Every structure is written in C-alpha cells, then in structure tokens.
Amino acid sequence: MIALMMVSTATAANDNKVYQFDKPLYGAAYYSEYTPTDRLDEDIRLMKQAGLSVVRVGESTWSLYEPQDGVFRFEWMDRILDKLHAAGIKVILGTPTYSIPSWMAAEHPEVLSQTVDGRQSHYGIRQNMDLQNPTYRRYCERIIRKMMEHFAHHPAIIGYQVDNEVEARSIDNQDYFEGFRDFIKTSFHNNLDSLNRRWGLNYWGMNINKWEDFYDRKGVTNPSYKLWWERWNRKVTADFLNWQVDIVNEYKRPDQFVTHCFMPAFCNIDQVEAFRQMEYPAINVYYTMQDAQDGMWIGYASDYMRPICKRHNFLVTETNAQGTGWSSRDQFPPYDGQLRQNMYAFLAGGANMVEYWHWATLHYGQETYWRGILGHDGQPNRVYAEFKKGAAELDKIGSELVNLKIHNRVAMLFSHDSKFGLDFMPYTSGDQYKEYFIYESLYKQNIECDILPVDKMQDFSAYDVLIVPPLYLATDALLQKISDFVKRGGEVVMFYKSGYCDQDDDVRAMLAPGPLSDACGFHYQEYSSINKLQLKPNDIGASDNTVSTWMEFLQLTTAKPLASVDHQFFGKWPCITENAYGKGHLIYIGTVPSRDILNKLIARAVNRKGISVGETYPIVLRSGVNGKGRNIHYIFNYSYAPKTVAYPFKDSKSLLDSQNLSQGSTVSIEPWGVVIGEEK
Amino acid sequence: MIALMMVSTATAANDNKVYQFDKPLYGAAYYSEYTPTDRLDEDIRLMKQAGLSVVRVGESTWSLYEPQDGVFRFEWMDRILDKLHAAGIKVILGTPTYSIPSWMAAEHPEVLSQTVDGRQSHYGIRQNMDLQNPTYRRYCERIIRKMMEHFAHHPAIIGYQVDNEVEARSIDNQDYFEGFRDFIKTSFHNNLDSLNRRWGLNYWGMNINKWEDFYDRKGVTNPSYKLWWERWNRKVTADFLNWQVDIVNEYKRPDQFVTHCFMPAFCNIDQVEAFRQMEYPAINVYYTMQDAQDGMWIGYASDYMRPICKRHNFLVTETNAQGTGWSSRDQFPPYDGQLRQNMYAFLAGGANMVEYWHWATLHYGQETYWRGILGHDGQPNRVYAEFKKGAAELDKIGSELVNLKIHNRVAMLFSHDSKFGLDFMPYTSGDQYKEYFIYESLYKQNIECDILPVDKMQDFSAYDVLIVPPLYLATDALLQKISDFVKRGGEVVMFYKSGYCDQDDDVRAMLAPGPLSDACGFHYQEYSSINKLQLKPNDIGASDNTVSTWMEFLQLTTAKPLASVDHQFFGKWPCITENAYGKGHLIYIGTVPSRDILNKLIARAVNRKGISVGETYPIVLRSGVNGKGRNIHYIFNYSYAPKTVAYPFKDSKSLLDSQNLSQGSTVSIEPWGVVIGEEK
Amino acid sequence: MIALMMVSTATAANDNKVYQFDKPLYGAAYYSEYTPTDRLDEDIRLMKQAGLSVVRVGESTWSLYEPQDGVFRFEWMDRILDKLHAAGIKVILGTPTYSIPSWMAAEHPEVLSQTVDGRQSHYGIRQNMDLQNPTYRRYCERIIRKMMEHFAHHPAIIGYQVDNEVEARSIDNQDYFEGFRDFIKTSFHNNLDSLNRRWGLNYWGMNINKWEDFYDRKGVTNPSYKLWWERWNRKVTADFLNWQVDIVNEYKRPDQFVTHCFMPAFCNIDQVEAFRQMEYPAINVYYTMQDAQDGMWIGYASDYMRPICKRHNFLVTETNAQGTGWSSRDQFPPYDGQLRQNMYAFLAGGANMVEYWHWATLHYGQETYWRGILGHDGQPNRVYAEFKKGAAELDKIGSELVNLKIHNRVAMLFSHDSKFGLDFMPYTSGDQYKEYFIYESLYKQNIECDILPVDKMQDFSAYDVLIVPPLYLATDALLQKISDFVKRGGEVVMFYKSGYCDQDDDVRAMLAPGPLSDACGFHYQEYSSINKLQLKPNDIGASDNTVSTWMEFLQLTTAKPLASVDHQFFGKWPCITENAYGKGHLIYIGTVPSRDILNKLIARAVNRKGISVGETYPIVLRSGVNGKGRNIHYIFNYSYAPKTVAYPFKDSKSLLDSQNLSQGSTVSIEPWGVVIGEEK
C-alpha cells in the first residue's frame, strides 16, 4: 500500500520534446479485434480514403493481451500497429485496466467491488473493480509494464491513454474502507476530538472514541462524513491515474505523451490532480443531435477543460458519430452538416484532436447501438462522407485552427464540494447546483467564459467577472478571495446558499451569508420553499418576471434591492439585490430566477465591464488566438434555417472559402453550418 | 428473556403526588451538547428572556454518557441541569436508548436489525436496533439504571421520557422471529391444527405440521400471518416501553412523571398498552404551515390522544418551529401568527405542554434543516419573537387554559387491524383506510369528536354518534356492540367493507356484511371497482354528486336506499343506504363518496342528535371545560383574510383582551388568529 | 442429473384410446380442502344443480398428501373423488409440485431458488424452487409415483395435469448455472473459440479461455449470453414437464390424458417441446371484463394454442368467474351475459373444455379476491345462474360445437428469440415486439389467423398471408423460407428490424435487412428514433396518417414507396414500401404505424388473396368445422348496445334458438350476446 500513498513529485516533462500538433488530428477509436471477420486492410483503405489521421486502440483488450494469468500475447496488436504506421496513421495506445479478464474474476473474486448499498459486483461488465485492491493493482502494474516494454518503441505511437473514464463508483470493499479510515486519520492528525467536533458526531450520539469504532459508509447519514467520503473517492481516482502515469513514464519515449479521457458531465474526479502529469488531457463528449443540437455541451466541456490544462490544448478522444446508446432507444444520427459542425465546435473550444467513438459499429455486446462512423454493414455511408469532407477541410486550413488559445474575462466557478453538499441536503426535486442552467445564459448570449474548478483553482486575477453558482461549501479563504475580487473592481453574480457552510459541510454559526455579508451588503436568518411567484415591477427588464423554488429573506445593510415578489408575506424581503462594494458590484440572486431574469442579470454584470450582448443563439460566436498569434472567429448556425449576420469582428478572411469578411458586412451561414474568419 | 415476557402489574401511580400543571408548560427540546461552541449561558439567557418554562434533554446522548463500554460520564449533563434549575426552567430527561453508541455496533454488530426484506442495518443512523436483542437490552438496562441513580434526585427534573418515537420497524433478526413463533405458540395454545385452520394454510399447501417448520416473515404472502406479525410488532414496542417504565419507576421520585412521545400519523403502536403506566403520554406533531396550515392534524392528534389518556392531559414534546425536513426541500416557516395559533390549537385539543423541536438549529447531521426556534445564527429572530409573545400570554391566561377536559358525543373508530387488513388486500392505489379523509369532514364542519382505538377500546356508552371507517377486521363481539349501539338509539355512519373479515383476517363465510346484516338492513354477494360515476338524483343534497373506486351491490332487506349510480349495470343496486334499527339509524356508504356527499351524510347523522353544523372551515371551533370547571371556547381563523363570526357560545369573556363576548355578537378574528372565550 | 438430460423418445400415445370429447366439458377448479368448514356434499349438490361436468383438483396440496417427509395421506382425496364420481362429475388430477411443503423448506432450504439479481427466495409463496435442484426433483418424483400408484385407477379421473403454470423464473442457483454451462458446452461442441467469436467476447476483453472462467448470469451485459440463458430457461421448463409426463405415463390408464396449463401472455416457454407428449394441452386465460370485454385475449390465446396442438383440441383450465386479482383492486365482475359470451368465445377458438378458477372463493391467503363462481358466502348468485344457463345450452347443442377445427389462411409469426432480442436492446420505452398491437388489427377486422411459434414451427405451406412482427433474430434459413414464401405467391406484411440479427443475436455484417434484401426490394444503412410525424399524402387510405418512434432510412432497389414522412430530413427516405417479388408481395413497415395505417396495410395484403374486411369490431366473427364436418359460425356482439348484421355466411340454422339464418338476412345480437350458425 506504500505505493498508493506515494505522490509523484516529478515536474512536468520537458514540453518541447513531446509530440507537437501542426494541425488538428481527426480520427476515431479503432478495434480491429472486435470485427466478426478480419478486415484490417479494408478498414485502413477506407481510413486513408477518408483522410483519417489518428486512431486510439487497445484500451479494453486485457484478455487478448493476457488470455491466461501470466501468458502474454502482443503480436496481434503489432500487426495492427505496423499496418497503421505503414498507412501513416498515428496511434494512441491505451492501458487496458478498466476491464479485467475473466480469469482474474474467477481466480480472485475479491478484486470485484462491493458497493456502498451492500451489493456485490459480478463479472460481465467493465469498471466493476475495487480500484484499491492490491491484487488488482499488482496485475495492472504487470500488464502495463509488459505492454510498455513491448510497444514503447513502436513508431506509430504518439501517446498513451492510461485507463478509460475512470471513477471510483460506489466502491466499499473492506480495504477501500480501511483506506478511507487511514485517510481520515491523516487528515485529522489522528485527533478524534477534532473529528467528532468537525463532523458534529455528538448528534444522535454517534461519536467515535477509538478508531476501531470508526464505522463504514453504508449506514451513514452524516453529511460531513459523506463529503469526506467523496473526497476520498476523488483522491483514489487521481492517485490511481498518477500511479499509472508514473509507470508509463518509466518506459515512454520523450516524444510520446500521456492522456486520459473523462466524461465532463459532472464527474467525481479531481481533474486538477488527476491530470497533473499528463501532457494532453482528454475528454469524451456526447450529446443529442438532430433538433437538439446546440453545441452547448461541447462549449461547456471545452470551457471546463481549458483552465485545467492551461499549458496545453486538450484532446477529444470520443464523440458521437451516428446514434449512441446502450439500447436502440434515442438513436439520433446527425442531420446533414451536423457532424462537421460539431468537429469545428470542438476546435473553437480549444481542442487539438477530434476522435469519434468509433470507427466501426459493434455487432455484439452492450454497445451494439453506440454507432461508429461505419455502420454494421462496414461500407461507406452518409456519415463517412461527411467525415471525409471535414478531413479534407482540415488538411487545407487545419494549420490555422490548431493550438488555439482563448483568454476569457468571465469565469464561472464550479465546486465539486458544493455540488455534493447540496445533493446531501437538496432544496428542490431536480438539479441542485444548476451549473448547466447558469452556463446556458452565458453560452446562448455569446458571453465566452472559463469554468474554474474552484475547490482547487482560486486565482481570479485574469478575470473581470465571476459567475458563482450556489457556493454552498467554501473555506473562509475562498469567500475572502471573492469579496476581495469585488472590492478590487470585479463584478460578481452570485446564487443563493453561497457561503452557507464551511469546508466540512457544517453550517456557519453566524448570520448568513457569513463572511460574504459585507460584499453582499445584507444578512439573512430565514428562507422558505416557494411556488412560482411573480415579481413586483422592477428594472431588471425581463419578460418572464417570475421566480420559484427557494427564497431567502434578505435583510439589507448596504445592498440595493433589485426585485421582490408580489406576495403578502414573502414580499416583505427583497430576493435579488445588488451591492456596490469597493470598486465592484455583487449581484445576489436569493431565489431561482426565470431564464430571462438570469440572462438580464448576467448581461448587467458583464456590461459594466464593456462586454455587450449582440448576436444570440441559434447564432453562436467563439473566438481565440491561433498558434501563429492570429485571431480566429467562429460563427455557428444551430438551426435548420439559413441565417445572416453582420460580421461582428475586425476585417477577416473566411478560411473555408477565402472570401473577405469585412466588419459589419453581411455573412450567410447555411443550416447547421459554420463560418470561420481569420483576422487580417 | 423472562423479563421481556413479564407484564407489569403495577397499578397507576398515585396521581396526586405526581407533578401537577398549574398552567401549560411552553418550551423546547434542548441539546447544549450539539452546539459548535459552548453557549449554555447565552441560551439560558435567551430562554429566560423569551419566557420559556420547560426543556426536554438528553434522549440521544448515549455515547456522551457512556463513551466506552462501561465508562460513564454524567457530569456534563449535571452542569446543564444545574444552570437550567438556577434559571427556573423545568426539565424532562430522556433515556437515550433510541440511538446506540458506535462502540456497541463495533463490538456487538448483532444488535443491529436485519429487516423483513433481507437487508442488514448498518451503523450511522438512529433506530436501527433489534429491540429484542438481549445484548441491546442488557446495555439499555445498565445505562438507564446508571442514569437514574445519578439524576433522579436532581430538582430540575419533573419527568422522564423513555426512549423516543419507538416502533418495531421491519425487524426480522433470528431472535425476533423466534419471539414471534413463541408468541404464536402461546396465542394458539400450542395447537397447530387451530393455526393451520385459522390462517388457512391448506391454501398452496403451506400447512405447518411441526413448530420447527414454522417459516419466517420474509417470503410470507398469507394475510393472517402478516396480521399477527404486525400484532407482534405492536406487542414488542409496548413491552419494551413498559419494561423501561418499570426500571425508571424503581428510581424516580413520586413527583416525577414518565412519558414517551410517538408520531400520531398512523403508527404501528398499541397506544393503550404502551401508555398504560405513563402519567403524561406525549405526541410529536408535525405539519405543513404557510398556506396549508389548517390545524387539522393538530386536531386529529389531540382527538386520538385524549381517549387513550383519559386520566390525564397529554403533552406535546415536539412540533414545528421554523421549516422542517431531512433536506432543505419543503421548508415552510410560519407566516406571522401561525406559530402562536398552533400553540393554542394544541391547548384547545387538551394538551398541557407544548415543546418545539428544538431550541436551536443543528449545524451538522441529518437534521440540519429541521429548524428550531433559533436558526443557525443563534440570535433572536421572527419566530423567537412570536414564541415570546405566546409565552407572555400563557403567563397571563394559562391558568384558565390548562387541564382542559373535552366531552364529545361523537366518536370516530380507528382499527389498527383493519388498516393493516386493507393494506394487505388493497382496493385502490392510494390510501385504503381513509381515516384522514373521513376525519376532515368532521373537523371542517366543526363536529368535535374523539378517536377511539377500537381494537382495544370498545365502550361506546359516552357517545351518541359513531363514525366507522372501513372496519374490515373485527371480532363478532365488536360488530355486536356496534349493532347494539344502534339498537339502543345511537346513530352510525359506516363505510364499505365493514364486517367483512374476522379477527384473523379470514373472510366470513356468510352473506356480507355478516353479523352487521341486521343493523345494516341488507346483505351483498358482489362488488366491483368503478370509475367516477354520477349518482341518480337523490335527497342527500350534495353539489358534487359523484362516487368512485369501489361499489358493493347491496341487496336491501329493511334498509332504505339513499343513492344509486346512474349506470346501466351498477345502477341496479343502491350504494348508500339508511336503516332504522331499534331506536337508532345506520347510514351505510358502500362506495367512496365525494367529500360533499360525506359531509352531508355525517351532518345528517349528527343532526338527529341535535348537533348542527354552523360555522365551517376556515373558521374552526373547539370547546372544553378547564381545570376550574369553566367552559372554554376557541375560535380559530385559518386564513390570511380577517374574519368575523357571530359568537356561537353563551356569553363569555375574551381571555386575550378581556372584552365581552355576548352570544350572537360579532367577533373579529385576525388572519391566522384566535379568540378564546371563557363562559361567564 | 442423468435423468434431467434424458429426452423422452416416446411417440404420441395411441390417440384413439384416450378420452374423447362428445361435447365440451364445462366446470371449475375445486378445492374442497380449502373451505373453512366441510361442505363437500353441499358443493356437489350445487354443482349438479348447475350442470357442471368437470373439475380439476389437487394441484397444490403436496403438504396434505405428505404432511411430513415420507408420510403420505391420500384418503381425504379419495373421499372427494368418490363423491364426485358418484355425482357423475369428471376429474382432472394435478401433480402438486408447484408448491412445496413447509418441512421441505425447513429441512432442505437449498431447494429454494436464488435469483439472477442475487436474492434468496423464502418460503411462503408457491413457485420459489430451483427446478433443477436434485433434492426437489427426488421429492417430486416420489410424490408423483405415490400419487399415481394410489389414484391412477380411480374411475372419476379422465386426465392428469402435471405441475401448474411452470416457468423458470430468474433461477440462478449454483447447480442451475452449472447446468447452463454444460448446456453451452454441448451446444458449442466444447469449442471456446467458437463461443468467444459468436458471442463477441473480445468486446470489453471478456473472452473465456477455459471453462472454469465461465461466469454466471448475474453481472452479464452480453446480449448473446442473455439470449442463450433464456433458451436454457425454456429448455429447463420443457425438460421438467416431459420428465413429469414420462413418470405419469408409467401409471396412467390409456383412456386418461396428460395436460399442463400455461399463461399464454408472453411466457418464456418452448410450448412446442413442452407440450410434445401431452394429449390435451391447456391454457389459463384471464382478462378484464365489463366495458373492456372484447374477446381479443381469448382469440389471441386460442390462435396461439391451436397450431401448437394441431392433433387435438386444447383445454381451458382456468378463466375468470367473478373479479380477479391478488388484491381487491381492479375487481371487474362480468356484466350480465359476459360470462356466457366468453365461454362461447373459447369454443369458437377451438377449446374442448372451459373451467373457471375456481368453484368457490377463498377465505384466506393471497388469492382471497380471485373470486370463483361462488363468492365468500357459498350461496348461488348471479354468476352461478349464468353458469347454469350456459351449461344447459351446452347440454343441448354442445355436440355441434365440440372438436372444432379451424383452417386459417393467414398466420402471424411469433418469435420468442426476437422478443428477447428486442428487450435486450429496446428501441422504445414500452412494448418492443408489439404482437398484441399487430394482432388487434387482425382480430378487430375479423381476419382470422393462426399464431406460429416461428423459432420452432416454420412450415408456411398452409398459409397465403404472413404477418411478421419485428423478426429481429432469425437464422438465414428462416429468412430464406419467408423470401421463398413471397416468391411462390405469398403475401407478407413485415415490420422494421426484421432480419437484423442472426441466431446468436449478432447483428449481420452486411447491408440491412441482410438476406431479406431481395424480397424486400431495398437495403438500409441508417435509422433514427423519431417523434410522431405526419406522412406525406399517400394511397394507403388511413385517416390517422402518422407514424412514430422509429424510422429506417430505406434505399429502394425494386420496392415501390408507399409512404414517407413530411420532414426536411427524414422525408428523404420512404418508410413504408411494397415489393413485388416472384408471384407475391412484401409490404414492409420501417416505422411504427398508426393503428389505422396498420389496419389498411394488413387489409391490402389479405385482399390480394380474396379475403375482404366486412363487419368489424364490436362485431366479431369466428368460424370453424365441427367434429361432424359441418361449418360453424359465431357472431359476437362486444357492446352494451343491441346490434344487427346481415348474416355473412351461407344459409345456416341458429343453434341457440333453431331459427333459420339465410345469407344476407338481418340477424340481431343482444348486448354481450352471441349467435351461432351451423351451415345447412
């Protein structure tokens, strides 16, 4: 277990030697070993014909590499790598640890996870292991070392992916629980009095007076315990990834990189720590196409990813080709143009690679209907043709699009801990943290932002405006930083419940919002659930003038009321306020606002910093600076109707058709289309 | 196990020596040990300032009393008691047995319950023990004896609460099951033939031909077995409480009382047996405030409690202060006036004490949002101010309100067994027994009633009218008593399915409604589920003339039809009838009536006894005789609009403002307000 | 385990010697041992009075036959059989193996099933055994042999029912799993390479490289594994029944038959194999009466049953008398006339016996409200009177109705494997296979059909038209037979997804619909989920011109488009087509059509074969040839309104009232009534 506790102290590898992108890579995951008949040559022929430049291989093939305990077979993959290399296709090779071979489950059933709700995992699905199990770890280490010894020098390989979409999911094996107990022992300096006090264990008489009495997660109701358990889950995942990176780094060439892919919909991962040693972190991004296609989820994922990997552009290792799903329900293959549009949306967000999942569609297994570029027939099709078109365009203009850097003045905070804290004590039946609801107001008003994982990243110096979803859990220090940000001239839009609890999920024993009271210009003692209520007339300017769900009874000191509800009782207190504090302002939303109110409040904040709202969705604008230092502008049309806009940027050249784009001139964008301008 | 089987034979303690109420006590549960910092002095200062007269302490602090097995620490509570006593605040002290210390779970995991659905309870929540477990019982006995030895002489203590909201919830440990088997053996006089016959075990060939083959509850489908299992659960709870009372009684002073609090929403408790030895039984009553505040649940709980503890007035140990809940959903703090209104509603129902849960709000743990009088900030607030106002009023007029006795002429029956019987064989998707639906017609028409737990209390001699929710399970003797009640001149309103099964949940093998046929004046062989159907024109006088869900095909002998549905097939049989039987009448409702039909039928029955419906909800009237023998009348306004009524009682004095209230004069009641008259 | 694997090779018993029906039997299941008091004589008196001719007894009385392990008591049943025989009532005797005695569960808990979701069954309900458990099988064999030795010569007994509604439900005991592994070993000729390839186990690296690593069903996601597991469940059930038949056949008289009853709503039973050795297979058919009575489920069950037992007419061992249910919800006793109408509907479908479940209603147990002919009072009632009327009519005309043979020209295919395949990969939230949706178009347009279990029965030579619900799984051979059927002149209406997967649930690696492409006249590469969409104007003639849920993008070769949707994108491909292929036509429905579209397409297909749609529901027509070779026609009125029709058959005599029925003359049918014509 020593190894697990070791934190790698290696500094970032010398970035200059690692693989450099001269244009975006465009490709797919490829599993030649899954096809019912051997069609490797035919697949490579079709890849070449389509202009595919990269594939990811081998992340779930442990049982083919090691068909029996200690018996290794890598030659079948050599053949694949050789042929890909001969065709000039670059390869990212996975470590296969997310799905164990059947012999391991049969011989060592203890590696299978037991879950928090008392269930025993069974073989037959991926990601069902106890990540801390020493036997599992020993086998992982051996297969990774064997793989790396065998493959590291293969010229096709530009990088390695360690594991796949890893996350500690409900594991509660005895050793996992004991690891948690040790983590708590360490974190609380072996001090049970401190633990009992900070977790409030006097309540219901559940103090722990010797470590042997420390109880496991299964029956726990205490929110502080739950919070720390989730922190443990995040730590296990990050440690597991860093442990794999350390092993891979012993073998890989300097020109090879390491990556890992995660699903950026809320994931219980400490991305900052998990990606610390990786040159090009990656994401897997899935969304609904057809009428629902809006690019928002691509935007969110990109804006989340960029701040985490500031040194490098990130990669996209998986995204929709045709319809997706673990059944044939909700199959929504792209309308004409949508596949290409999404590819550009990723590049507009800062990606350096777009890979589909996957090249071909499976004929068996759980993901039979998670359809690839090729369908079950293995022949070129409508999506293949659109891939080919996109590849040809990238071949022509990709060098202008790669290595895009984006410097946003607006940041939206994201707190894993706050999201959990709200989930433990929900105030509504649906989504608590509302990060997507809030992000949508930014995205659809074309207010570009970064998303900051604020439990770990708290430097706001690059920003003018902070958007703060319910910051339910925070240290005093973080609240002070936000207050200071306002005082120094920043603009903040902040949601209800911010500042309510400390870092242990204990409610602060003071007038809410505690340390934020000065910056907010009010305090409150009460709150209530509410139905949808109308606001009294106000100056916000929203057409849907309603709020709902939750309302705090704000007692103003220095803040000005912006709105209060039209109600005999609740109308006694304002529910939206604005406070001039130092050189900046803090808009506080003590209720769940309508979409329109939120739009207006966010616009009000950014306007003060000279950011105005022009074109809005279904027109989406995204801008950045390419690797050559030139300004690049994307204009997307997320609709089935042709659109025209007045070109809102400085005089540019249209990269796709070499036309001039003068500022203010009329630009047409076809349905599900994109125009890309490069400033002159 | 001998002790468990022993039934205490002690007669009621000499009531004269026990604590006597000269005015209602008004207070809160108080947990100084839960506050993040020591603020005992500040809390007592605020309590004194507010006029609080009583606190309940210590019912979930086992792990502080006994931090390790056999190590006892009571001095911290002495300090609290001493300071409360110095401040003149009375104390009710709990036995802490509803939440075990962590060392007990770690060292004796067998005390944790295993449930009927096969799950194992885990530590981390209260009330997860096997109540019959000998180890748990041994530890209970020791901590209670140690506590009582230490505290019994403390002058602050006026009474003891044994355990808290105890109920045998789904326990199915081996010893618990064996206890059940022994209970059945005894109840059936060791006669398996009788058991097989009465439970109908020939069906599906599930006879038990030796006691070793007696199977546990987990897979059981047989309704008779299920019924007896629930009786066992009730017996276990009552025995457990009586066992604790016996221990406490060995130590307590004659001037101290014993109580226990239960949640009067349907609880699987035999309240008659469970409260047999307690001087002042108690209830914990929670409800929704704001627009939903109607006082009905307070009325129901009071009307349920009074007949059970006829000797004494009951106590209210817990009720809403601010918002409640195990999350921050559905937070509904009171509108101005509502807290005080509820306090008076309890007194109007016969309570001698009202305690909020709790004094202050928790900063951690499952009940962080079950908010007390003080919020998380610990400072006086709107609710604190309203408490203070109420306390001042009680100080002034409380001596006229305490020890209220209420003599109602209407009783509504409540049968635990019938409720279970219906749940085992439901006839609709929602509520089966409809006790609240029925009670609402009484409450909102201001027809005051007692609620009789009729499985145990069958003396109807004090009443003129009986309201009978579906009496699906009953002995012949009970059905005879109801028939005799009618014959002697009583009025009865009875629901469908009454009389259908005997005391073992076996359907009677005779024309329904079996022994009730003469009193009902019909029999029936058939019934059907129905949609909502219109009645043919009739004399009931309801504006909503519909019935639904269920209809019996009544074949009349002496009864008169009151209504039948307008339908080609179902219209052949009446579904509501009235039978003159002896000197009384029985109205039978063989279908689910609309609210309005039910109102009219109940009014029809009580009218015959000279009880007429005057003011109705949102005006609520409650009357009683105070300890001094004077008539007290409450008039509540459950709305946000001011109301006036013609004072419907004899000339009185308004206690709150000393105004005269002449019969028939106009009385104004403010929103969420109350007027209290004392007859001259 | 040898015995379990043995497949009986006995040919069908000499049919001439077996019990022959000279009129339909009409009766009920009868459980004298369930009545609270002995009323055998009274029951038989009432049976005789009603004209009942048959009872089924004893299928769940193991614990009365064998109250202790090895102690047998049959004399109580002798008394029942003797009295029934004296009254001239025929008896079908069950083997009691579907509900084990309590001593077996107590002494051999291992016979109780463990389920796929990891639960342990408990005693207290029927059908909770591991059907493969050797101890259970040993006890089964002993009780059957003892019973048969004792009863076989009793003259009352005309036949035996082996077990009751047997099905392998979620069993996953270790021996059951090992049986599966052996079944797979055998089926794949011990070839793991073949298994890995055909199940696609390379996916997620889940290859099995030695049999010891074969993993159990619990965690499995692989659809091929799941499919074979269901085949194993079907095999176990069929083997279990054949094993019982083999034992019974050792003892029974030649004039006695063997039967078994199953629930024809989709049951995971291989009916062809399960009924192979039984002379008169049986079904238990339940439905909703009152306004929902439409006879459709009786029609479906009959049409499913007839092709399986072509040699013989089938029996109905259970059907609704009064209301049914495991609670008192959804009690829908028949309107006047409905009981008798259903009895004739069974005879019209080819049944030779109708038995109600059951004679009397239980006073205890799970099925207290599964009401029989007599209610809880045990006295004659409305349903009893209607039974008596029907029995008297059968006595008069039954000899003309018995042994009905029906020769349909239309067949609807039913594939267990396809239904499972779709459930593993559902394309919609509700029903996948839509067999009832499709059947309804046939039934309510009076297009009589057979339902063919096409995984086992693939001879289409008797039919002119095939209706093909989504044939998602099929061998190449079956697809070829359907193609050949069209080529030779057959008409086919085929649903989406047909031909998509092979017999292992692997998607075919070719252009869809694979081997059906020629007969269909198109191929496709893509499909999409869709909302409800309008079709463009077309010639189908439906008033509801909408489709929904699913659409394939059909690329036509020889087919003609019949319809395409009115949509910018999806409208590019037709979704309903017709292909002239050889001498026949194939209509393909690549989407979920409205009821009306489906009606029209099916009518279009049958019209080509000269079958026209005349009277439609609520008039239902059913015809056949009776045992004397005469044509019998039933006309049902499924409504509460009297109806008249022009008699659509050749000149006949009305059997119920001896009136003439000339072709084209006006015939009146009373509400919930029937007219039966016998051609002259």
Side-chain angles (χ1 to χ4, degrees), chain A residues 48-121:
Chain A
K48 289 293 292 176
Q49 181 181 296
L52 175 147
S53 53
V54 67
V55 294
R56 187 185 61 164
V57 303
E59 77 273 10
S60 50
T61 55
W62 194 337
S63 76
L64 288 177
Y65 286 159
E66 191 176 2
Q68 293 294 341
D69 186 350
V71 176
F72 299 94
R73 298 276 178 269
F74 298 117
E75 59 286 355
W76 63 272
M77 181 60 91
D78 288 331
R79 174 174 167 261
I80 295 169
L81 295 176
D82 292 348
K83 293 203 178 219
L84 287 164
H85 186 59
I89 295 171
K90 296 176 172 60
V91 176
I92 298 169
L93 180 69
T95 68
T97 48
Y98 89 119
S99 193
I100 61 171
S102 59
W103 56 259
M104 197 190 303
E107 291 166 23
H108 303 283
E110 72 277 13
V111 307
L112 294 169
S113 64
Q114 289 158 348
T115 65
V116 164
D117 59 0
R119 283 180 300 109
Q120 169 66 55
S121 292

Side-chain angles (χ1 to χ4, degrees), chain A residues 202-207 209-210 213 215 221 425-427 472 497 500 506-507 525-529 572, chain B residues 33-34 60 63 67-68 99 102 124-125 290 328-331 336 363 366-367 369 371 376-377 380 382:
Chain A
N202 277 2
Y203 170 66
W204 284 349
M206 294 188 177
N207 313 72
N209 292 319
K210 57 182 190 295
D213 297 341
Y215 34 95
T221 52
M425 285 287 149
Y427 63 93
Y472 183 64
K497 284 183 176 277
Y500 207 71
D506 296 343
V507 175
Q525 296 189 286
E526 293 188 85
Y527 32 74
S528 180
S529 301
K572 297 197 284 184
Chain B
E33 67 277 17
Y34 287 177
S60 50
S63 76
Q68 293 294 340
S99 194
S102 59
I125 194 167
Q290 297 190 1
S328 74
R329 287 184 66 179
D330 303 329
Q331 288 281 316
D336 296 334
H363 298 82
Q366 185 63 69
E367 292 175 312
Y369 289 93
R371 289 165 63 79
H376 289 120
D377 50 69
R382 196 174 57 89

Side-chain angles (χ1 to χ4, degrees), chain B residues 104-105 107-114 120 130 133 135 173 175:
Chain B
M104 197 190 304
E107 292 166 23
H108 303 282
E110 71 278 12
V111 308
L112 295 168
S113 65
Q114 290 158 348
Q120 169 67 55
D130 170 9
N133 181 277
T135 302
N173 295 47
D175 67 302

